[in-house]
Amino acid sequence: MPSRKIEDLVKDLQDAWRVALVAYVTTYPDQPQPFITCTYRSPEEQLELYAIGRTKPGTIVTQLKSGSKHNTNPSRAFDIAFQKDGKLYWDKKHFIRFASVIKSINPAVEWGGDWKKFKDYPHFQI
C-alpha cells in the first residue's frame, strides 16, 4: 500500500503542504478539507496503477509506467482528496482552490491540473 506519511516527502513539499493546509482550512473552514492519499509508492505499486485502464479494468490514472516522482525516496510528489463528515469529495473546484493556495506559498510546486495532455487534479509535485 502506498505511503501517506508526510515524512516520506522532500522537505520543500512537507513545508508547502503544512502551510497550505493551515491556509486552506482557515480560508475554507466550511468546505471539504484536503488530506494526503499518497506520498511514496514503490515501483511495483506504480506498475499496478499503470495497468489500470490498460490491462486491468478501470479508467487510466497515470501516464507513467515507472519513474514517477512518487517513486523517489524521499518522494517528490503527493496526491490529495477532500473529506467532510466522513464523505469523500473529488470535485474539481476543491482541487483548483487548493492548487491556488499551495502555489502561492511555493511557486515551485507544480499541479497536475495545469498539465496540457493529462489532467491529474489530485497530484502535486516539485
Side-chain angles (χ1 to χ4, degrees):
M1 175 172 223
S3 173
R4 293 180 173 182
K5 295 180 191 174
I6 192 170
E7 298 81 16
D8 287 340
L9 295 171
V10 294
K11 183 163 179 0
D12 285 349
L13 269 184
Q14 288 184 36
D15 294 345
W17 164 257
R18 286 185 175 114
V19 175
L21 181 60
V22 170
Y24 192 91
V25 168
T26 302
T27 305
Y28 304 103
D30 299 325
Q31 295 296 309
Q33 297 301 308
F35 68 97
I36 291 178
T37 61
C38 179
T39 53
Y40 173 78
R41 74 173 68 106
S42 71
E44 295 78 22
E45 290 165 333
Q46 186 68 34
L47 282 173
E48 285 291 316
L49 281 180
Y50 185 79
I52 297 171
R54 294 179 177 86
T55 59
K56 292 187 174 190
T59 303
I60 290 174
V61 294
T62 184
Q63 295 295 306
L64 296 175
K65 193 173 188 176
S66 64
S68 161
K69 293 199 184 240
H70 285 289
N71 303 137
T72 64
N73 195 1
S75 176
R76 301 185 60 74
F78 65 83
D79 294 339
I80 64 170
F82 292 83
Q83 179 177 300
K84 183 174 181 178
D85 299 328
K87 183 179 175 191
L88 288 178
Y89 292 83
W90 297 94
D91 306 19
K92 188 166 93 171
K93 68 182 178 185
H94 302 304
F95 294 103
I96 291 169
R97 287 179 188 153
F98 186 79
S100 176
V101 170
I102 198 166
K103 291 189 307 181
S104 72
I105 290 161
N106 184 339
V109 174
E110 182 180 347
W111 176 45
D114 287 333
W115 296 342
K116 301 290 184 231
K117 292 186 178 183
F118 181 76
K119 300 286 187 183
D120 190 352
Y121 295 105
H123 184 85
F124 296 85
Q125 68 182 34
I126 201 162

